[in-house]
Amino acid sequence: MVIDGAVTLMGSFNWTTGAAQNSEDLNLAGCGKSRPIGRDIGYNPRRVTRCGGRPMRGWDTRSDALFSYVSCEARVPKDYPLRPIRRIVDEALAALSPEFEKLYARFGRPSIPPERLLRALLLQAFYSVRSEKQLMEQLDYNLLFRWFVGLSLDAEVWDETVFTKNRDRLIDGDIARKFMAAVLNEEPVKVLLSDDHFSVDGTLIEAWASMKSFRPKDGSGEPPAAGRNGERDFHGERRSNETHASTTDPDARLYRKGPGQPAKLAYLGHVLMENRHALVVDTRLTLATGTAEREAALEMVADRPGNHRITLGADKAYDVAEFVADLRAHNVTPHVSQNTTNRRSAIDGRTTRHPGYAVSVRVRKRIEEVFGWTKAAAGFRKTRHRGLARVGWMFTVTATAYNLVRLTKLVPAKA
């Protein structure tokens, strides 16, 4: 019945019995918008509610679209932290295009672009992906990963063995070091770097090799017991790098970090950091020896451009008279922390009296942030590769990833 354009319910139809029903029989208690008219006959998505709409709850039904017009670019927020990183990476890789041309033949089957391989390795460091196989799995369904690497929604993902086949080519071209240099040479980044004050330090990187593989070089010694993880008794056996070597990774060396610490098969990673914004400007990876830190520091200092005087901060392990003399010969002021424990320091009042010495000693500690991020976030505490060349190449790529993470906060503020 209609009165002045309004509808008045005088009755309803019983859909179960097919008979009419009076309005007195309606349960109209409550005024909720989702209250059904008439007797509740079950949760039916097609029923009409009192407000004339549908139930509030959404239904878990799958309806795949035949076509999709949404790109990966539209899925990534405009203020996402990876966007400034992507811009810096793209500019650096564009500058390396002539170097990539030298690594591939002029004719042949098209390869996976090396730019995409490097972007994928950066993602592995950014998001702590533990293996390249898992990286490819995520690249298949992760739209953010596809956008950063440069793949469309329907582009096919390559196999993880592509990294193995192309890594040697990229190592031969020294692409990791050139990639770091290309990032640092960009105009927004170059103005952030210091040309006068640096710090150096080294860290222990565990090798991808078991202590059971550390066998005598002459082939003697008791082999491990049979089985997948056979036992090996080392008691009473004297082992050293002169007489033993790892059968899994011959470049790994047995190294003890300090008194009371366990000896491990490892490498030593070295970093040269500029002191203004704590960005890595050079890296080295060496065999684990007692003098490797000082030798790598001299190499990195000697490779710095220009011949003007610079300062170099370091911890007490570098307080050696021969090393300090070599730094002065390279026109470097040694801002090395003094080691006066039962000995005389090689750093005297000629250096410590200047205010800049105290500043360098304080800022030098920021280099530990580099090692902390590469080991905890990027998963480089224990390398996943074998051999000095491969581990060193990945160490440089990981240090470049650290720089890019730092630049997300530095470049927008300066640009």
Side-chain angles (χ1 to χ4, degrees), residues 18 172 174 178-179 187 190 239 260 262 326 343 378 391 407:
D172 294 338
D174 201 14
K178 294 176 181 177
F179 181 41
E187 289 301 327
K190 188 184 301 184
R239 296 172 295 170
D326 290 337
R343 61 188 294 271
V391 178
L407 290 174

Side-chain angles (χ1 to χ4, degrees), residues 354-370:
H354 296 286
Y357 175 80
V359 175
S360 294
V361 172
R362 183 176 67 254
V363 176
R364 179 204 61 80
K365 300 177 182 179
R366 296 194 63 184
I367 203 170
E368 299 296 341
E369 299 176 9
V370 181

Side-chain angles (χ1 to χ4, degrees), residues 128-145:
S128 308
V129 183
R130 64 175 180 267
S131 67
E132 292 164 356
K133 182 177 181 180
Q134 188 185 56
L135 177 64
M136 291 299 97
E137 292 177 356
Q138 293 203 30
L139 190 59
D140 191 23
Y141 60 77
N142 194 321
L143 297 184
L144 178 65
F145 280 25

Side-chain angles (χ1 to χ4, degrees), residues 91-105:
E91 292 181 8
L93 293 177
L96 291 179
S97 182
E99 300 295 333
F100 294 141
E101 290 289 341
K102 301 176 183 178
L103 302 179
Y104 294 86

Side-chain angles (χ1 to χ4, degrees), residues 38 42 54 86 96 116 126 133 142-143 153 166 237 240 254 261 279 286 291 299 314 336 354 371 391 400 402 404:
R54 298 292 179 183
R86 174 69 186 273
L96 291 179
R116 295 182 178 180
F126 293 155
K133 182 177 181 180
N142 194 321
L143 297 184
L153 284 173
N166 286 272
E237 181 181 348
S240 67
L254 194 65
Q261 298 292 327
L279 295 174
T286 62
T291 60
E299 290 182 6
V336 178
H354 296 286
F371 299 141
V391 178
T400 305
Y402 170 81
L404 292 170

Side-chain angles (χ1 to χ4, degrees), residues 64-380:
D64 296 332
L66 182 60
F67 300 102
S68 177
Y69 300 97
V70 180
S71 63
C72 296
E73 177 71 24
R75 292 290 186 180
V76 181
K78 297 299 181 182
D79 58 346
Y80 201 76
L82 280 184
R83 283 193 176 274
I85 293 179
R86 174 69 186 273
R87 289 194 295 267
I88 297 173
V89 170
D90 288 348
E91 292 181 8
L93 293 177
L96 291 179
S97 182
E99 300 295 333
F100 294 141
E101 290 289 341
K102 301 176 183 178
L103 302 179
Y104 294 86
R106 295 181 59 86
F107 301 100
R109 186 180 65 179
S111 67
I112 302 298
E115 295 87 348
R116 295 182 178 180
L117 295 178
L118 288 174
R119 292 194 195 100
L121 291 176
L122 290 177
L123 286 175
Q124 187 176 13
F126 293 155
Y127 291 94
S128 308
V129 183
R130 64 175 180 267
S131 67
E132 292 164 356
K133 182 177 181 180
Q134 188 185 56
L135 177 64
M136 291 299 97
E137 292 177 356
Q138 293 203 30
L139 190 59
D140 191 23
Y141 60 77
N142 194 321
L143 297 184
L144 178 65
F145 280 25
R146 281 181 170 268
W147 167 81
F148 188 84
V149 172
L151 296 176
S152 61
L153 284 173
D154 55 353
E156 185 177 359
V157 177
W158 61 85
D159 191 80
E160 63 270 10
T161 56
V162 173
F163 291 101
T164 305
K165 296 179 180 179
N166 286 272
R167 187 176 287 110
D168 292 337
R169 180 184 289 111
L170 298 176
I171 291 175
D172 294 338
D174 201 14
I175 296 300
R177 193 171 306 279
K178 294 176 181 177
F179 181 41
M180 172 182 284
V183 171
L184 297 177
N185 286 333
E186 296 183 22
E187 289 301 327
V189 182
K190 188 184 301 184
V191 297
L192 302 173
L193 305 179
S194 173
D195 296 332
D196 303 318
H197 307 289
F198 300 89
S199 296
V200 67
D201 202 356
T203 186
L204 188 71
I205 300 175
E206 296 184 34
W208 192 258
S210 171
M211 290 296 295
K212 298 178 182 179
S213 69
F214 198 61
R215 307 287 306 283
K217 295 180 181 179
D218 57 4
S220 61
E222 181 184 355
R228 181 166 180 253
N229 192 16
E231 295 183 358
R232 175 80 161 84
D233 187 9
F234 299 108
H235 293 285
E237 181 181 348
R238 185 177 179 85
R239 296 172 295 170
S240 67
N241 291 317
E242 289 74 18
T243 59
H244 290 62
S246 172
T247 57
T248 304
D249 188 355
D251 290 339
R253 294 292 184 268
L254 194 65
Y255 189 82
R256 180 180 286 107
K257 191 173 182 180
Q261 298 292 327
K264 300 178 180 179
L265 292 173
Y267 294 94
L268 285 179
H270 314 273
V271 165
L272 182 67
M273 178 193 76
E274 58 85 28
N275 288 355
R276 181 179 296 171
H277 289 98
L279 295 174
V280 179
V281 295
D282 201 355
T283 61
R284 290 289 191 279
L285 189 103
T286 62
L287 301 179
T289 63
T291 60
E293 287 188 322
R294 297 188 293 272
E295 294 170 356
L298 290 175
E299 290 182 6
M300 291 187 288
V301 167
D303 289 343
R304 294 304 305 154
N307 56 0
H308 62 282
R309 177 170 290 275
I310 64 175
T311 65
L312 184 69
D315 58 22
K316 294 182 180 180
Y318 295 83
D319 187 6
V320 178
E322 183 181 359
F323 175 71
V324 172
D326 290 337
L327 288 181
R328 297 187 187 278
H330 285 84
N331 202 19
V332 177
T333 301
H335 285 181
V336 178
S337 298
Q338 291 181 305
N339 186 5
T340 57
T341 304
N342 300 325
R343 61 188 294 271
R344 181 178 179 181
S345 174
I347 305 298
D348 52 24
R350 293 178 302 170
T351 303
T352 58
R353 62 177 179 167
H354 296 286
Y357 175 80
V359 175
S360 294
V361 172
R362 183 176 67 254
V363 176
R364 179 204 61 80
K365 300 177 182 179
R366 296 194 63 184
I367 203 170
E368 299 296 341
E369 299 176 9
V370 181
F371 299 141
W373 187 89
T374 55
K375 290 184 176 183
F380 212 79

